[in-house]
Amino acid sequence: MKADVLPVVSAPSRPVSILLIRTDKIGDVLISTPVFRALRSRFPDARIDVLLGRHNASMASALAGWTIGSSVYDKSLLGTIRLLLSLRRSHEVVVDMMDNPSRTSSILLRLLAPAFSVGFANGRTSPVTHSVPVPDRSRVHIVECMTELLRPFGIEPETVDRRPSLPGLPAVSAPASIDILVHLSAGKQSLWWGEENFRALVKDLRTQYPRYRIALGSAPSDRSVAERVAIACGVHVLPSSRSVVEYAAHMAQARMIVTPDTSVVHLASALHRPSVVLYAKPHADRMVWLPYRTPCRPVIATDDDGIRGIPVDRVTAAVTSLVAELDSGAVAPGSSAPEHSPPVA
């Protein structure tokens, strides 16, 4: 793909300022980390900031690991005024990272008034000075789509490490390693598998792997559900976490992870942890957001009602298959892998 190159590319040592708009969800920040990392490497003296939203503001501490600053857009009138006062014309280049047209990012791009702007050429209502063609999202992984935004900066995506990552995880107390971590929470109701399904799965796994240490994890809002399942099944719950990054540090203690399709999928990818992921029926024009270059057994719903109808035995079979692969030594826990296993039927 071709994209016009920004003038800043001719002088990478000049202290250029770059702002990336990523105001959506935690998972969207995680799939964008290869872009952040590559920009910091290419422009070591640049001022690089990310504009986060209220749903992903907790990722600020992770970005700081690459010496990348952040601001938060909360969409309130007062918040917007404060944001514009602090950021308007403050960055030479602003990057709109939305791969779909977004009214919010388009408005922000206009109001921030940068000298140069970068964004995907995908039905934009607000023009950018340097547009990037959108790859075929039914064939190209979303992580690889995101790295196309590097081309205007003179960076060929194929030359950089495109795996998501998280720098500087905090130290957490871990009394024992975890063989299987089952994450219950989902970002929306259509991805909630149901308490009874999680109970049945954990009981199956306890029967099949009596010596395995199985743990449950969840968002704070589902802590009580996790505790009920843990008591019913005789397993333990991860300690409460104060942030997504701290939760990721607990995840890093696990050999493998079972989760609905939520930001934990991309945390597993960043940590290179094998996973079993429950997906709703995908859109025909979009590739499923599998954990990038990480061993995975996707279990995909066959109807439009979300994952609630996925039978427990399908998920158990996926776990069994992944455990067998890990036990065989074909893939070591914590390693990356170029391919994904097919969905479990």
Side-chain angles (χ1 to χ4, degrees), residues 211-224:
R211 296 186 179 181
Y212 274 24
R213 183 175 173 85
I214 299 172
L216 299 178
S218 72
S221 58
D222 293 319
R223 179 81 185 181
S224 60

Side-chain angles (χ1 to χ4, degrees), residues 199 203 216 224-237:
R199 286 194 189 203
K203 287 179 179 179
L216 299 178
S224 60
V225 178
E227 289 174 346
R228 286 199 301 269
V229 175
I231 292 170
C233 300
V235 299
H236 79 280
V237 182

Side-chain angles (χ1 to χ4, degrees), residues 42-66:
R42 179 70 170 81
F43 301 98
D45 300 317
R47 173 190 173 187
I48 303 177
D49 296 297
V50 179
L51 180 57
L52 302 169
R54 58 189 177 90
H55 293 299
N56 60 21
S58 59
M59 293 300 294
S61 61
L63 297 176
W66 290 304

Side-chain angles (χ1 to χ4, degrees), residues 275-338:
S275 59
V276 170
V277 184
L278 282 63
Y279 290 96
K281 185 179 179 181
H283 296 289
D285 62 342
R286 286 289 188 110
M287 177 184 282
V288 172
W289 285 23
L290 297 168
Y292 188 68
R293 295 184 67 86
T294 308
C296 176
R297 294 294 189 277
V299 185
I300 302 175
T302 57
D303 55 41
D304 297 323
D305 295 330
I307 71 171
R308 190 63 182 256
I310 294 177
V312 173
D313 59 1
R314 284 186 63 199
V315 183
T316 303
V319 174
T320 302
S321 172
L322 188 54
V323 167
E325 183 178 356
L326 294 174
D327 286 348
S328 72
V331 175
S335 69
S336 63

Side-chain angles (χ1 to χ4, degrees), residues 35-334:
V35 175
F36 306 149
R37 193 174 61 238
L39 286 176
R40 173 51 72 207
S41 177
R42 179 70 170 81
F43 301 98
D45 300 317
R47 173 190 173 187
I48 303 177
D49 296 297
V50 179
L51 180 57
L52 302 169
R54 58 189 177 90
H55 293 299
N56 60 21
S58 59
M59 293 300 294
S61 61
L63 297 176
W66 290 304
T67 322
I68 292 178
S70 60
S71 299
V72 178
Y73 174 50
D74 64 9
K75 294 190 178 182
S76 68
L77 178 59
L78 183 58
T80 301
I81 293 171
R82 286 175 176 168
L83 180 73
L84 293 176
L85 288 174
S86 64
L87 294 182
R88 183 172 169 81
R89 300 187 188 279
S90 62
H91 293 78
E92 188 174 354
V93 184
V94 175
V95 183
D96 178 0
M97 304 195 77
M98 295 294 293
D99 62 323
N100 270 334
S102 163
R103 183 170 176 269
T104 296
S105 61
S106 294
I107 291 172
L108 285 172
L109 202 57
R110 275 196 218 100
L111 295 176
L112 292 171
F116 303 100
S117 53
V118 176
F120 285 110
N122 186 20
R124 304 193 61 85
T125 58
S126 178
V128 293
T129 62
H130 291 70
S131 64
V132 177
V134 183
D136 181 352
R137 289 169 295 181
S138 68
R139 300 170 60 87
V140 179
H141 194 285
I142 186 61
V143 168
E144 295 178 358
C145 286
M146 285 296 108
T147 56
E148 289 297 313
L149 292 170
L150 293 169
R151 292 190 187 277
F153 293 92
I155 303 171
E156 294 295 324
E158 298 83 3
T159 66
V160 303
D161 183 356
R162 292 191 282 196
R163 293 174 298 177
S165 59
L166 272 178
L169 291 179
V172 293
S173 58
S177 61
I178 300 168
D179 293 293
I180 303 174
L181 171 61
V182 179
H183 176 83
L184 280 68
S185 298
K188 52 187 177 181
Q189 190 59 34
S190 63
L191 295 175
W192 172 240
W193 196 35
E195 182 175 342
E196 66 282 3
N197 283 330
F198 281 113
R199 286 194 189 203
L201 173 66
V202 175
K203 287 179 179 179
D204 279 356
L205 297 179
R206 288 272 287 157
T207 300
Q208 193 158 344
Y209 305 105
R211 296 186 179 181
Y212 274 24
R213 183 175 173 85
I214 299 172
L216 299 178
S218 72
S221 58
D222 293 319
R223 179 81 185 181
S224 60
V225 178
E227 289 174 346
R228 286 199 301 269
V229 175
I231 292 170
C233 300
V235 299
H236 79 280
V237 182
L238 290 184
S240 298
S241 298
R242 292 167 294 182
S243 68
V244 173
V245 176
E246 186 176 326
Y247 188 77
H250 286 294
M251 283 180 57
Q253 310 301 317
R255 187 182 186 219
M256 62 174 290
I257 295 158
V258 181
T259 179
D261 176 21
T262 185
S263 60
V264 168
V265 174
H266 308 298
L267 287 174
S269 178
L271 298 168
H272 311 308
R273 289 295 178 271
S275 59
V276 170
V277 184
L278 282 63
Y279 290 96
K281 185 179 179 181
H283 296 289
D285 62 342
R286 286 289 188 110
M287 177 184 282
V288 172
W289 285 23
L290 297 168
Y292 188 68
R293 295 184 67 86
T294 308
C296 176
R297 294 294 189 277
V299 185
I300 302 175
T302 57
D303 55 41
D304 297 323
D305 295 330
I307 71 171
R308 190 63 182 256
I310 294 177
V312 173
D313 59 1
R314 284 186 63 199
V315 183
T316 303
V319 174
T320 302
S321 172
L322 188 54
V323 167
E325 183 178 356
L326 294 174
D327 286 348
S328 72
V331 175

